[in-house]
Amino acid sequence: MEQPDQRSEGAGPFTTRLTWQPPGGGTAVWESRPARRRGIVAVRPPGAAGARHVSADGPVLARLGRLNAVAATAFIIGGALFAVGAAVAQFGSGDATTCASIYFAGGLFFNTGGYLSLLQVVNAPRHVPGGEDALVARRWRWWSYEPMRVDWLSAFVLFAGTLVFAVDLLDSFLQGLTVQQINRLIWAPDVIGCVLFLISGHLAFVEICHGRPCIRERDLGWWIVAVNQLGSVLFMVSALAAYTRPATGSLINADIANWGTLTGALCFSVGGVLQHYERP
């Protein structure tokens, strides 16, 4: 329940920013993404002109840093492998099995990055409503169920999308499929995974923009979300172009499918590089 001297912002049931007065006076501002990614709360002491950042304790920051580094690296490698697989498919330097193997390896890194992103949310330090201007860490957990938190929901949907992609990538090894089976076992999971990635990106924008459309040119977190969402859009374009026509047995547009995957994958790699700098 919101305290009398506490103001919350967000969208729908999600709270993404809280402003309150600590017992010692002044103003404290908790924002979802900076708190969970960097372990900080913005505090303006009584009479001060500007705000300063108060960080969680050292072990918590070290934990956040390790999770962030491994997750970012997983997305860099996963995106790079997807881009290589698309390049092999486009330029004809390998057969279908070679492409499928490269994509599958990239998918494993996306699975890892997705789960680690969820772990970042699950183990992020939390603020105490109406309390001191500090973040409190809980014991380590491998899982939680918190659908009323937009950061948890975004990370969970992202992880679910990587798992759906894994179904698509496994099915791509099957031989002798009919056109209907290809569309049902390979194309349909691909599209579903893309939709989940887009939903995750939208929720990430809700978190960082507090439920309103925004452009934050100086906010690294905004750029990470924007680049990854662009990658999700390109993945969706690729998936739609990869539909196999029942009448001809050919893709709608193989070039768009390959280039969409290649450029979308590079977006996720760039997002991973940027994520390395969004650390405690």
Side-chain angles (χ1 to χ4, degrees), residues 148-163:
M148 300 306 292
R149 289 183 57 190
V150 69
D151 54 348
W152 183 92
L153 195 58
S154 176
F156 174 77
V157 172
L158 174 68
F159 179 48
T162 67
L163 295 179

Side-chain angles (χ1 to χ4, degrees), residues 161-253:
T162 67
L163 295 179
V164 175
F165 276 135
V167 174
D168 158 35
L169 297 172
L170 279 173
D171 288 345
S172 65
F173 285 101
L174 298 175
Q175 303 292 324
L177 298 178
T178 65
V179 171
Q180 289 76 17
Q181 289 172 326
I182 290 172
N183 286 332
R184 185 175 71 252
L185 298 176
I186 299 176
W187 181 80
D190 190 15
V191 171
I192 293 171
C194 290
V195 169
L196 291 174
F197 268 39
L198 287 169
I199 293 173
S200 173
H202 172 72
L203 292 171
F205 270 122
V206 169
E207 178 190 23
I208 206 165
C209 295
H210 311 297
R212 300 178 296 274
C214 73
I215 296 176
R216 296 186 171 186
E217 297 178 356
R218 299 185 179 182
D219 188 332
L220 179 59
W222 185 91
W223 280 106
I224 294 170
V225 173
V227 169
N228 285 336
Q229 188 70 336
L230 175 58
S232 298
V233 170
L234 291 168
F235 271 8
M236 176 58 82
V237 171
S238 170
L240 294 177
Y243 179 77
T244 302
R245 294 186 180 96
T248 63
S250 61
L251 304 187
I252 289 178
N253 193 310

Side-chain angles (χ1 to χ4, degrees), residues 44-45 47-51:
R44 186 173 65 188

Side-chain angles (χ1 to χ4, degrees), residues 80-173:
L81 286 170
F82 261 67
V84 170
V88 169
Q90 176 64 23
F91 300 111
S93 55
D95 58 21
T97 303
T98 300
C99 295
S101 299
I102 297 172
Y103 282 139
F104 183 74
L108 292 177
F109 281 98
F110 272 123
N111 293 152
T112 302
Y115 179 60
L116 288 171
S117 296
L118 185 59
L119 281 182
Q120 285 182 284
V121 175
V122 170
N123 294 288
R126 314 295 175 94
H127 82 291
V128 179
E132 295 290 345
D133 48 3
L135 295 171
V136 178
R138 299 179 178 181
R139 62 180 179 82
W140 175 267
R141 292 182 295 172
W142 294 101
W143 171 253
S144 71
Y145 181 69
E146 303 172 86
M148 300 306 292
R149 289 183 57 190
V150 69
D151 54 348
W152 183 92
L153 195 58
S154 176
F156 174 77
V157 172
L158 174 68
F159 179 48
T162 67
L163 295 179
V164 175
F165 276 135
V167 174
D168 158 35
L169 297 172
L170 279 173
D171 288 345
S172 65
F173 285 101

